[in-house]
Amino acid sequence: MSKSHDPWQDAMDHAVAVARKSGEMIREVVQNQDQSSLVQTKSSAVDLVTETDQKVERLIIQSVKSKFPSHRFIGEESVSSGEPCILTSDPTWIIDPIDGTTNFVHRYPFVGVCIGFAVNQQVEWGVVYSAIEDKMFTARRGRGAFCNGRPLQVSTQTDVHRSMVATEFGSDRDPQVVDKIFSSLHKVLSLPVHGVRGAGSAALNMCAVARGSVELYYETGVHVWDIAAASVIVTEAGGVLRDTTGGALDLMSRRIVAANNETIATRIIAELEVYSSERDDRAPDCEPE
Ligand SMILES: O=P([O-])([O-])O[C@@H]1[C@H](O)[C@H](O)[C@@H](O)[C@H](O)[C@H]1O
Ligand SMILES: [Mg+2]
């Protein structure tokens, strides 16, 4: 199929270009400005947003609207300001302008610009640009996953005792939630596993699974924009996606396990506390149109 007859490829090429431009904006701010005084909060005192998150999302959405006027959007900052968070069967761009906003605010060097693209509720391609590291992760369904053009492959490890696991503490400080986070962590650490890490970005943890640096990443409390783009990067690198219940991943459920293979996924899932956050498509500011 020639490129001109492949509109999803045109869209993906556009996403790579606009993610790179967004990354330049982010790097400029990290190098030259102090974000710590410009931070606002969202769902909790530690759920942060900055002017740069909003600017980058506007840049992405405006550039896409001018090229693909019929496409829909789910964007982290647009949903925050009341836009719906519904995944229809229409071509939909799912955008997290800065995944790892807390890292960004603290100049901790892992922030990802995430752009996923779903049609018929299936993610067709994903782009995650690790802006400070200058690493462009890309994948298209059925066509492999890449970092800066080099193919990605998950780890072949099947022994959980030789595995590295990634997770995050998230931004929910409800004591019951914090207890569950620590209970899962305690059980996973005590298996034992080689180590537990967290990049501070759901998407970059998933890219770490895709490139074979960690065997598994799990978290409850993520949003669709944190995981949509990276989901296809994981599966195209040979990995598997699950809900923390062990069932199929539901992009709106706010629970994810991304693993190198079924063996590791099943073994770690057995240790996880299952609890729920309010679904992305049910939140009060996410009512259907
Ligand atoms: O707010 P944000 O920086 O875009 O995204 C957050 C990051 O991915 C963080 O690592 C994860 O723990 C949270 O669940 C996400 O919401
Ligand atoms: Mg995010």
Side-chain angles (χ1 to χ4, degrees), residues 14-288:
H14 184 78
V16 170
V18 77
R20 204 177 289 286
K21 197 165 170 196
S22 302
E24 280 163 22
M25 273 174 68
I26 292 167
R27 275 201 300 274
E28 200 336 87
V29 175
V30 168
Q31 282 156 11
N32 301 312
Q33 288 175 36
D34 179 10
Q35 282 293 301
S36 57
S37 57
L38 302 169
V39 175
Q40 292 175 303
T41 58
K42 298 195 286 187
S43 65
S44 78
V46 293
D47 183 8
L48 310 182
V49 60
T50 71
E51 201 179 75
T52 309
D53 296 68
Q54 290 153 349
K55 267 194 192 157
V56 170
E57 183 159 320
R58 275 199 302 274
L59 167 83
I60 298 171
I61 292 184
Q62 277 163 13
S63 81
V64 175
K65 270 188 176 160
S66 65
K67 252 196 125 182
F68 305 96
S70 64
H71 291 183
R72 299 171 74 107
F73 300 92
I74 294 175
E76 173 167 14
E77 307 316 331
S78 314
V79 170
S80 240
S81 43
E83 292 287 320
C85 185
I86 302 293
L87 191 54
T88 67
S89 47
D90 295 338
T92 303
W93 296 62
I94 306 171
I95 299 159
D96 188 343
I98 303 183
D99 187 45
T101 300
T102 308
N103 284 352
F104 171 68
V105 167
H106 291 269
R107 295 200 174 94
Y108 194 78
F110 302 108
V111 296
V113 178
C114 305
I115 309 177
F117 182 74
V119 184
N120 294 322
Q121 294 167 331
Q122 178 163 45
V123 181
E124 288 291 333
W125 53 253
V127 170
V128 175
Y129 182 45
S130 182
I132 315 293
E133 300 180 289
D134 188 21
K135 285 187 176 152
M136 183 69 76
F137 294 91
T138 56
R140 186 167 174 194
R141 193 164 64 86
R143 301 195 187 177
F146 301 87
C147 177
N148 290 349
R150 285 191 304 277
L152 294 174
Q153 186 62 50
V154 293
S155 144
T156 55
Q157 188 57 256
T158 52
D159 180 353
V160 79
H161 304 299
R162 293 172 185 228
S163 72
M164 180 96 100
V165 173
T167 190
E168 295 289 334
F169 298 110
S171 55
D172 190 339
R173 297 294 188 268
D174 174 334
Q176 287 182 342
V177 170
V178 174
D179 279 350
K180 287 185 165 40
I181 290 171
F182 277 94
S183 168
S184 298
L185 196 53
H186 190 127
K187 289 194 257 173
V188 170
L189 267 175
S190 313
L191 277 167
V193 293
H194 270 180
V196 175
R197 299 288 185 270
S201 154
L204 292 181
N205 287 327
M206 292 170 73
C207 291
V209 174
R211 66 166 193 249
S213 308
V214 304
E215 273 66 34
L216 179 141
Y217 157 67
Y218 73 88
E219 187 174 349
T220 298
V222 289
H223 294 279
V224 59
W225 45 79
D226 300 316
I227 60 173
S231 65
V232 63
I233 296 173
V234 170
T235 51
E236 286 300 315
V240 297
L241 299 170
R242 291 283 172 273
D243 188 281
T244 56
T245 59
L249 176 73
D250 171 348
L251 282 174
M252 294 287 176
S253 77
R254 307 199 48 202
R255 299 186 297 246
I256 185 161
V257 175
N260 62 331
N261 57 43
E262 290 291 351
T263 310
I264 295 284
T266 307
R267 188 63 194 89
I268 297 284
I269 284 169
E271 307 302 323
L272 301 181
E273 295 277 344
V274 177
Y275 58 100
S276 296
S277 300
E278 190 169 31
R279 288 180 62 84
D280 275 332
D281 52 5
R282 291 269 177 83
D285 52 1
C286 289
E287 291 299 327

